[in-house]
Amino acid sequence: MNLSGDWRSLFPVASVFAPPSAARSRGALLFSPLPPAVSLLSLPFPIPPPPQHASSRGLHRFLRAYITATSFLPLADLDSLASDLLAPPPSPFPPPSNLLAVLRRPSSPSSWSLLVFFPYGENAEQVAFITLDSDTVAGSTPASPVVQGQGFRHPGQSIRLLAASTTESFWLSRPGDKLVEGFLLAATLYSVNWFRVELHKSESLALVPVAKQGFDAAVVHACWSRHLPSECIVLLENGELCWFNLDSCNGGKMRVDLGSTDDCGNWLSCDYGAKPWMVIIATSKSVLLVDLRFASRGEYKVVAKVGTPGVFETDLFAGADQYLAFCRAGFDHFHYSVVTQRFLILLDVRQPLKPLLVWQHGLENPNNVAMFQLSELWPSKEHELASKSGFAILVGSFFTGEFSMFCYGPEEQGRSENSRLYSWDLPSRFPLTDQRCGCSNGIVKDVLSLPVSRDGSDPQENKSLTIGYYVLPYDISVLEPSFAGFALIRLTALGKLEIQRYRKSTDIHDDIPFQRILNGLPSNILCVTFSKYKDMVACSGERAAEHLDVPSLTRNELRPFLLAKPSSISDNLTSKRSPSLSFLLRVLDWVPAMSRSYAAVLAILAMAAVLCAPASAELTRLEHPAKNDGSLSLLVVGDWGRKGAYNQSRVAEQMGRVGEKLSIDFVVSTGDNFYKNGLNGVDDPQFEESFSDIYTAQSLQKPWYLVLGNHDYRGNALAQLSPVMRKIDSRFICMRSFIVNSEFVDFFFIDTTPFQLKYWTQPGKDHYDWRGVAPRGKYIANLLKDLDDALKKSTARWKIAIGHHTMRSVSEHGDTIELLKLLLPILKDNNVDFYINGHDHCLEHISSRDSPIQYFTSGGGSKAWRGAYQRNKDKVRFFYDGQGFMSLQLNRDQARFNFYDVSGKILYQWSSSKMNHLQPNTYVSEE
């Protein structure tokens, strides 16, 4: 294997040394999937994939979207594609966990048996397991799942993490006729639930609930001790570390204080160290080795700390990096690995400040890392010493299914103790999701030939997502003795449990993309890709690359590419990019010739890297101009979507009449747009039955700006946020949190449902769609920061906040404590004039006694008359326990509010006037 400088430039590895002579007989350590996969079980329900933020969606989807965008698509399609480029948010924390747990049962040398645990049910709210043995793999015995739906602290909540622990054979349960083979923990967002795996006298296995514990903060990670089989630790998103012992029924907790969020970042993962009292805790900014010997007294000691990933950064101009995934080696007590946006770092707890090896992994947002002995993946007799002394790290993303394997070991084969470690050969990239070829040839074909859906996404991506995997030990006979490679069990979002084999490749050249791949693509594809080149780059030379001709070429010819810098258009699209980054778009005459094709791929990578660069986190801002006379009129309605029932149609009729009289500019909805459980998808007929077919008056054919309510979150929340809804009815503009500017007034729409803790911890039979939101603490912190920044930047004369939940109310729901604690201080500090909401099915106006802010409730869009009233410490100016809506008329100096009932009668009027010589939030009011 030649590890020359040319190779290192193509596949950057930070710690590659000249390979020892004895190592050259290893051959290339590359693995590729070998079809077909062996199907074990198909579940009756798909499993919801882990929550993720919308992102650049990877190189594959972006390039296909761009190709489509440069053709003549409808404007709505282009808007949906552009939304992915304008503001790709960061990766979610905590990262998704492996949803497959495996327990190896005691067996004789001639037989083996595994228990495979996985989520089960419509919402993945239960746990199930199958027994996997040679008969099951061969198909002679069908796999039959055993399901456990009892014993959960929060029934109905999705399982987000599974972990199994094997007990010693002498562990017996109390009755004496049941052998305890192990333990299982299943974590939901706010709870951990423990089960015991029992073997009964009848040789049947059962999963028996043992304990359950709920938490006020989200569970980041949980794991079993490698020293005491019945002990585990749980890390929460607020920094609390909890420990439990199922045998002694003891436990405790303590907060690991690292300062502010800026100091410690996001809590990431945890594991036990070399001693039972040592714990390794990872955050996005540091990795800590913590001594918990005196934890019972509330004391702990940070023995070692590996600082920010920037310590290992080699590019001075690169953006800030952070840890994304963490794993401790199972084969020893000292090695562990962390993954950042750019690097894979191997560390040793005995010398934590000096990395053993650092690779540039080249993966998009990796969120999973696992460590193995090479003998588990490649028990070669021909290269036995290398197999036994080498190690492998598997790194990848559950969101993309793309993984890479990094191999390393000592300089002299067979010596691992106290030996210097070296990177062995090039990383092997392969897809975990399916049997596509993971080589560069396959990547290029996939990038430029697969179809694009209407919203620019891969229509099959979520369906084929792998959400859990387990590498099978080689002594388990699922492979032929002569097979060079390994096998793993994988669980897909479709609910398929299957075994996939990976064979060891013998030719390194399989992973180099030749120019013939690009030449083999249809000319019209490349022509579409680059024909509108002037919209992307501006060439500084005499000849601008405006219309790149891509002719049909023979096999020995090369297509032309150009070198240019990003244009102002691409700068505006991305909002944030590295000013020194250029597009490499000409294939240079490099030597060897094999590198030419790689340059072509790098050209595509560089182009995507610029346009997919993360934008700053800001609330989306929409512009809605005022009338020519400088005034603005709008209607506000909430809690309405009931297919016209409960007087919804009558309210809609009066809204049409008042809207015509006031010549309204738009309508605001304060949430709970569709009862009782939101929409079930973008094709749900309720959208038209409760919206399009109800609000038919000509005056209401204006933009509707909507926020989500708690009932909207009980369905498919993403459906209402989808641009598809605007294609059905162009009035419908719904987002989580955003700003509408109308010259002299800024409307701040705020997603308030995630603030309510009870929706997370006590949902009852209701299911909330937290995709794109969880974890709660991170989402709320980011939202409050973005809102505070936007309010401070606002120069509008009027500042109006709009959310679904009440801030102050005398009706059924009353005050929302979480909003009073978290949101109200920001509104007060930034001189917000009015807070408008729904949630309570009434009309009301309450004035704050300690600030100028006014609270308005307009939640009478349909079902009302709750008959509830409770006192409030602020001043109640108006309350009506019935159906109706509100109007708001504004100019630079005055705001006038009117409340109407179902007959169009004005129930209440109130106005506020800005005084030019006073502060912006000072007003004179009149009733």
Side-chain angles (χ1 to χ4, degrees):
M1 176 66 204
N2 177 19
L3 289 178
S4 63
D6 289 338
W7 280 108
R8 287 198 294 272
S9 68
L10 292 178
F11 294 88
V13 181
S15 298
V16 172
F17 301 88
S21 58
R24 295 186 181 180
S25 62
R26 286 193 306 261
L29 297 174
L30 302 175
F31 296 89
S32 58
L34 183 64
V38 178
S39 178
L40 298 174
L41 182 68
S42 291
L43 305 181
F45 312 103
I47 300 177
Q52 61 173 312
H53 293 286
S55 67
S56 62
R57 301 185 180 182
L59 173 64
H60 298 62
R61 288 167 57 182
F62 165 73
L63 286 180
R64 294 202 301 276
Y66 177 73
I67 291 170
T68 307
T70 54
S71 63
F72 299 97
L73 287 178
L75 182 60
D77 288 316
L78 295 178
D79 287 343
S80 65
L81 293 176
S83 65
D84 292 328
L85 300 177
L86 290 174
S91 300
F93 275 92
S97 299
N98 192 339
L99 290 180
L100 206 61
V102 175
L103 188 69
R104 185 161 186 172
R105 302 185 63 200
S107 59
S108 64
S110 60
S111 64
W112 58 271
S113 179
L114 299 176
L115 297 183
V116 183
F117 300 91
F118 47 87
Y120 190 89
E122 293 186 50
N123 191 40
E125 76 280 8
Q126 305 174 64
V127 120
F129 70 89
I130 64 168
T131 302
L132 184 65
D133 53 26
S134 56
D135 292 336
T136 309
V137 174
S140 57
T141 302
S144 179
V146 177
V147 181
Q148 175 58 274
Q150 304 299 317
F152 290 92
R153 178 67 177 83
H154 297 145
Q157 291 295 288
S158 299
I159 294 173
R160 299 165 59 91
L161 182 150
L162 289 172
S165 173
T166 304
T167 64
E168 301 295 337
S169 58
F170 55 79
W171 282 58
L172 297 175
S173 59
R174 297 288 186 267
D177 60 341
K178 301 174 185 177
L179 178 68
V180 178
E181 293 197 354
F183 296 99
L184 178 77
L185 69 80
T188 65
L189 190 60
Y190 283 93
S191 70
V192 174
N193 312 272
W194 292 272
F195 302 86
R196 190 168 53 231
V197 181
E198 294 183 352
L199 177 65
H200 294 189
K201 258 186 175 181
S202 60
E203 295 297 317
S204 63
L205 288 164
L207 198 59
V208 180
V210 176
K212 52 190 175 183
Q213 179 66 48
F215 305 98
D216 292 333
V219 175
V220 172
H221 190 70
C223 67
W224 293 100
S225 170
R226 306 187 190 191
H227 310 281
L228 303 172
S230 62
E231 185 169 294
C232 69
I233 52 173
V234 179
L235 179 65
L236 305 181
E237 69 170 343
N238 61 0
E240 283 189 352
L241 190 67
C242 310
W243 57 92
F244 305 89
N245 189 302
L246 299 186
D247 184 42
S248 63
C249 298
N250 292 327
K253 69 176 182 178
M254 66 184 307
R255 184 183 297 273
V256 180
D257 189 5
L258 297 181
S260 65
T261 303
D262 293 335
D263 296 329
C264 71
N266 301 283
W267 298 96
L268 186 64
S269 187
C270 61
D271 205 339
Y272 283 88
K275 303 294 183 182
W277 57 83
M278 301 299 293
V279 174
I280 304 173
I281 302 175
T283 76
S284 60
K285 289 192 175 183
S286 60
V287 180
L288 312 170
L289 183 61
V290 182
D291 188 334
L292 295 178
R293 271 180 288 188
F294 304 106
S296 59
R297 303 203 304 247
E299 300 176 8
Y300 67 93
K301 181 179 180 181
V302 178
V303 178
K305 177 179 179 181
V306 180
T308 59
V311 173
F312 313 114
E313 186 60 82
T314 57
D315 185 356
L316 297 178
F317 300 98
D321 211 346
Q322 61 179 342
Y323 294 133
L324 301 179
F326 162 86
C327 175
R328 205 204 91 182
F331 45 79
D332 69 23
H333 293 299
F334 305 108
H335 287 178
Y336 64 96
S337 54
V338 288
V339 182
T340 75
Q341 289 282 2
R342 291 182 286 277
F343 298 109
L344 166 62
I345 305 167
L346 177 66
L347 293 156
D348 190 317
V349 294
R350 295 167 292 189
Q351 44 181 353
L353 298 181
K354 182 181 179 181
L356 302 179
L357 288 171
V358 181
W359 292 266
Q360 292 184 14
H361 55 67
L363 295 163
E364 181 191 8
N365 292 329
N367 50 40
N368 180 262
V369 56
M371 303 178 70
F372 306 92
Q373 288 182 297
L374 195 55
S375 58
E376 298 179 64
L377 309 176
W378 180 48
S380 172
K381 293 184 178 180
E382 181 183 358
H383 308 287
E384 185 174 4
L385 291 178
S387 175
K388 289 185 176 179
S389 60
F391 307 95
I393 305 177
L394 191 63
V395 182
S397 170
F398 284 120
F399 296 149
T400 64
E402 295 297 332
F403 279 69
S404 287
M405 185 175 295
F406 301 80
C407 298
Y408 67 96
E411 180 177 11
E412 296 184 25
Q413 298 180 13
R415 291 183 56 190
S416 57
E417 289 294 329
N418 303 319
S419 298
R420 187 173 185 178
L421 296 176
Y422 293 81
S423 173
W424 283 3
D425 297 330
L426 304 179
S428 172
R429 177 173 292 195
F430 59 90
L432 187 67
T433 300
D434 51 33
Q435 289 124 29
R436 290 175 300 146
C437 176
C439 64
S440 298
N441 289 348
I443 292 174
V444 174
K445 285 182 177 180
D446 188 38
V447 165
L448 296 176
S449 61
L450 292 183
V452 183
S453 67
R454 298 186 68 183
D455 63 352
S457 63
D458 187 340
Q460 298 300 320
E461 182 180 52
N462 287 336
K463 293 182 179 180
S464 61
L465 214 64
T466 295
I467 57 178
Y469 71 93
Y470 174 78
V471 175
L472 290 168
Y474 198 81
D475 60 338
I476 291 181
S477 55
V478 297
L479 301 171
E480 299 81 4
S482 60
F483 185 80
F486 65 95
L488 59 77
I489 308 172
R490 69 178 175 216
L491 176 66
T492 71
L494 281 176
K496 292 184 177 180
L497 196 64
E498 52 195 15
I499 294 179
Q500 176 64 57
R501 297 180 297 167
Y502 290 85
R503 66 175 175 85
K504 178 179 172 293
S505 301
T506 57
D507 188 359
I508 182 66
H509 303 304
D510 288 347
D511 200 48
I512 301 299
F514 290 97
Q515 184 67 45
R516 62 180 172 81
I517 294 300
L518 291 177
N519 285 347
L521 293 170
S523 297
N524 62 337
I525 291 181
L526 286 179
C527 187
V528 171
T529 305
F530 298 109
S531 62
K532 290 191 176 183
Y533 216 67
K534 63 180 180 179
D535 293 338
M536 290 188 59
V537 297
C539 185
S540 58
E542 294 182 359
R543 180 180 177 185
E546 294 185 358
H547 299 281
L548 181 62
D549 182 25
V550 185
S552 299
L553 304 175
T554 64
R555 294 179 63 86
N556 295 325
E557 293 180 287
L558 298 178
R559 286 197 169 97
F561 292 88
L562 299 173
L563 176 64
K565 292 183 177 180
S567 68
S568 59
I569 294 178
S570 66
D571 186 30
N572 292 334
L573 280 176
T574 60
S575 302
K576 184 179 181 181
R577 64 169 176 84
S578 173
S580 61
L581 190 58
S582 298
F583 295 130
L584 177 62
L585 294 169
R586 177 173 179 80
V587 181
L588 305 178
D589 295 328
W590 292 357
V591 178
M594 193 161 42
S595 299
R596 294 183 178 181
S597 57
Y598 202 83
V601 175
L602 291 180
I604 300 173
L605 290 171
M607 176 176 64
V610 173
L611 291 182
C612 290
S616 58
E618 294 182 353
L619 297 181
T620 301
R621 186 179 179 89
L622 307 177
E623 303 293 334
H624 194 117
K627 296 183 177 70
N628 293 333
D629 63 359
S631 66
L632 189 75
S633 300
L634 59 131
L635 301 181
V636 182
V637 66
D639 305 83
W640 39 269
R642 299 182 185 271
K643 302 180 182 180
Y646 295 100
N647 281 337
Q648 182 192 0
S649 296
R650 291 189 62 190
V651 172
E653 180 184 358
Q654 296 303 324
M655 288 175 61
R657 294 176 180 177
V658 174
E660 181 180 4
K661 181 179 179 180
L662 300 182
S663 185
I664 61 170
D665 299 279
F666 57 85
V667 179
V668 167
S669 171
T670 57
D672 277 2
N673 307 317
F674 300 98
Y675 282 94
K676 181 177 184 184
N677 295 312
L679 298 178
N680 59 32
V682 295
D683 56 351
D684 192 333
Q686 188 183 182
F687 177 78
E688 293 177 297
E689 295 169 353
S690 293
F691 178 64
S692 301
D693 298 342
I694 301 298
Y695 302 100
T696 56
Q698 186 61 37
S699 65
L700 302 182
Q701 306 308 303
K702 302 290 177 67
W704 282 57
Y705 299 110
L706 307 96
V707 292
L708 297 175
N710 54 297
H711 283 272
D712 300 313
Y713 266 99
R714 293 180 187 176
N716 186 337
L718 299 185
Q720 293 192 50
L721 304 176
S722 171
V724 174
M725 310 316 295
R726 290 201 66 189
K727 298 175 184 178
I728 301 174
D729 193 318
S730 60
R731 297 177 292 172
F732 197 87
I733 305 173
C734 183
M735 288 178 270
R736 293 194 197 273
S737 298
F738 59 103
I739 304 170
V740 175
N741 170 258
S742 293
E743 300 175 12
F744 55 87
V745 56
D746 274 342
F747 296 89
F748 298 87
F749 291 78
I750 305 167
D751 185 18
T752 61
T753 301
F755 284 79
Q756 285 266 40
L757 183 61
K758 67 180 181 180
Y759 298 150
W760 299 77
T761 60
Q762 299 174 350
K765 296 182 179 179
D766 298 321
H767 164 73
Y768 289 88
D769 184 1
W770 297 127
R771 290 176 295 171
V773 176
R776 174 177 176 267
K778 179 69 175 177
Y779 179 81
I780 293 175
N782 287 339
L783 173 55
L784 292 176
K785 181 181 182 301
D786 296 342
L787 177 63
D788 188 47
D789 291 344
L791 285 167
K792 283 179 168 56
K793 292 178 183 178
S794 174
T795 59
R797 191 161 174 81
W798 298 94
K799 297 179 183 179
I800 302 176
I802 298 169
H804 174 66
H805 289 80
T806 59
M807 191 78 71
R808 294 290 192 193
S809 175
V810 296
S811 192
E812 181 182 21
H813 293 108
D815 299 349
T816 304
I817 303 301
E818 294 90 341
L819 296 186
L820 294 177
K821 291 181 178 180
L822 300 173
L823 180 59
L824 184 57
I826 294 177
L827 302 186
K828 288 182 177 180
D829 289 346
N830 290 283
N831 300 317
V832 169
D833 299 284
F834 314 121
Y835 176 77
I836 301 174
N837 61 269
H839 197 44
D840 267 335
H841 298 186
C842 63
L843 307 174
E844 61 184 331
H845 173 204
I846 298 176
S847 294
S848 173
R849 295 187 185 275
D850 59 5
S851 75
I853 194 169
Q854 306 290 316
Y855 309 108
F856 293 92
T857 298
S858 181
S862 58
K863 189 176 182 180
W865 303 109
R866 297 298 179 92
Y869 185 88
Q870 50 188 305
R871 293 182 178 276
N872 194 284
K873 68 177 184 179
D874 281 338
K875 183 178 181 180
V876 180
R877 293 180 175 269
F878 170 74
F879 172 70
Y880 176 68
D881 187 26
Q883 292 110 338
F885 59 98
M886 184 178 79
S887 70
L888 172 58
Q889 298 167 270
L890 286 160
N891 57 34
R892 287 187 57 82
D893 298 321
Q894 189 175 55
R896 177 173 293 276
F897 294 81
N898 287 353
F899 282 112
Y900 303 84
D901 65 11
V902 293
S903 62
K905 176 184 176 182
I906 297 178
L907 301 173
Y908 173 77
Q909 294 179 312
W910 184 86
S911 64
S912 172
S913 298
K914 292 276 187 180
M915 306 301 293
N916 290 328
H917 63 283
L918 297 177
Q919 295 297 323
N921 65 324
T922 305
Y923 61 87
V924 174
S925 64
E926 61 181 30
E927 296 188 26

